[in-house]
Amino acid sequence: ALDSMKAFLFTCILVPWLVAASARKFDQDSQLIPGSLPGRELNGYYNENLKSRRARVRTILFSSCLSARKYLPTCLLCVCLTGSVYCEEVSPDMTAVPTLPKETAYLYARFNKIKKISTKDFADILTLKRIDLTGNLISEIEDGAFSKLTLLEELSLAENRLVKLPMLPSKLTSFNANYNLLKTKGVKANAFKKLTKLATLFLADNQLEAVPHIPESVRTLHLQNNNITEVSKDTFCRSNDTYYLRLSLSEVRMDGNPVLLSKYPDSFTCMKVLPIGRYR
């Protein structure tokens, strides 16, 4: 970070200052021969040349800062507040997860052009509690990318291009993968099984053909606008336990799926509310 700061100060402040100072001296030293041009033309000539020189100086200033920008530490490109980093709609385009301060607990890197999440991106940031990567171009996440984040509670990967889910940390309370390209084969059978604290699970607007395993702790489940064609007695309830009640699940959205829910009345007997969806 210190080297990056030095590069920024030298390239974006010192160099442009020297260029500007040189330009000012050039303006002072540049003299036209008296009488060589009429007064009006002389003023016009001087003004046009001065504007041209200043424009060149501004171009050098901008180019210097732009070339230095790629070396800047994250907190000069993004907004860093105590424990939080905001990197939203960064310009020029942010195509990878930025290097984060060690104490980062909350990362908001929404609406950028991040394409991939690797295991090294968060390997040293064990303090993370919330990661929001909504609205990027993520199509690949290495399986261990979040495995060391034992404090992570909220993860949003909505509005990306995922076709499969990585291994998720066990302490998640909220997971959002709406608006991706997920199919059932890309969601492992036990993808959510160990998430015993998960309260909200959003998998809407994907291409899922079946309902994945839903942890007992889930209160809000969004599966609308997928390609789910059927449900079974074990999807939400337990076929071998007629006394089983699933009281925590208070909202289930399955609208926008081909499944006709009225064909499966025994699949919802353990629930206190019926899923939202097509019944006729």
Side-chain angles (χ1 to χ4, degrees):
L2 183 59
D3 291 339
S4 299
M5 183 67 75
K6 288 179 179 178
F8 170 71
L9 291 173
F10 179 78
T11 311
C12 203
I13 297 177
L14 181 58
V15 170
W17 179 81
L18 291 172
V19 172
S22 175
R24 285 196 299 271
K25 188 175 187 306
F26 184 73
D27 287 338
Q28 293 169 359
D29 293 343
S30 298
Q31 300 288 335
L32 287 172
I33 299 172
S36 61
L37 287 172
R40 183 177 297 176
E41 292 184 26
L42 177 61
N43 289 336
Y45 178 88
Y46 178 78
N47 288 335
E48 288 302 318
N49 276 271
L50 183 59
K51 287 179 182 177
S52 176
R53 291 191 197 102
R54 287 176 176 171
R56 286 198 295 273
V57 170
R58 283 196 298 270
T59 300
I60 293 171
L61 281 166
F62 178 77
S63 299
S64 299
C65 289
L66 195 61
S67 62
R69 186 170 183 138
K70 64 181 179 180
Y71 301 109
L72 298 183
T74 298
C75 291
L76 288 179
L77 290 174
C78 306
V79 176
C80 295
L81 302 173
T82 308
S84 299
V85 177
Y86 298 85
C87 299
E88 302 188 343
E89 296 183 277
V90 174
S91 180
D93 295 338
M94 178 178 284
T95 58
V97 175
T99 302
L100 300 173
K102 294 285 186 181
E103 71 280 3
T104 303
Y106 304 95
L107 170 64
Y108 302 89
R110 298 179 291 196
F111 309 113
N112 290 294
K113 294 188 178 179
I114 299 170
K115 298 178 181 179
K116 179 181 178 180
I117 307 297
S118 67
T119 53
K120 64 181 181 180
D121 287 333
F122 302 115
D124 299 324
I125 316 298
L126 306 182
T127 52
L128 279 164
K129 294 182 179 180
R130 179 186 299 161
I131 297 175
D132 192 341
L133 296 167
T134 299
N136 279 277
L137 304 175
I138 301 168
S139 59
E140 181 184 356
I141 301 178
E142 293 182 2
D143 217 21
F146 305 115
S147 60
K148 293 184 179 180
L149 304 181
T150 57
L151 300 179
L152 192 66
E153 297 177 349
E154 299 178 41
L155 175 60
S156 178
L157 301 171
E159 298 177 46
N160 279 284
R161 299 179 180 180
L162 292 172
V163 295
K164 66 176 184 177
L165 293 180
M167 186 182 300
L168 299 171
S170 60
K171 288 190 177 180
L172 278 185
T173 61
S174 176
F175 179 66
N176 187 346
N178 286 346
Y179 293 97
N180 275 278
L181 303 172
L182 294 171
K183 293 186 177 182
T184 296
K185 65 180 181 180
V187 181
K188 295 178 181 178
N190 61 348
F192 308 110
K193 190 173 183 179
K194 295 182 179 180
L195 308 187
T196 57
K197 296 184 178 181
L198 192 65
T200 57
L201 178 57
F202 298 147
L203 297 170
D205 293 274
N206 279 282
Q207 300 171 21
L208 297 173
E209 298 92 355
V211 179
H213 173 82
I214 309 300
E216 293 285 331
S217 56
V218 171
R219 296 196 295 267
T220 304
L221 175 64
H222 286 186
L223 292 166
Q224 67 268 28
N225 302 323
N226 276 282
N227 195 33
I228 298 169
T229 56
E230 63 179 8
V231 293
S232 71
K233 291 182 180 180
D234 292 306
T235 300
F236 299 107
C237 303
R238 296 176 183 173
S239 58
N240 60 353
D241 185 355
T242 56
Y243 295 98
Y244 171 72
L245 295 176
R246 191 163 196 154
L247 300 177
S248 59
L249 197 55
S250 58
E251 179 182 324
V252 180
R253 286 194 58 183
M254 296 188 67
D255 44 308
N257 283 281
V259 61
L260 186 62
L261 297 176
S262 58
K263 290 176 62 177
Y264 308 95
D266 295 336
S267 298
F268 315 117
T269 54
C270 66
M271 300 166 62
K272 63 180 181 181
V273 295
L274 288 173
I276 299 169
R278 191 163 69 96
Y279 286 89
R280 62 179 182 178

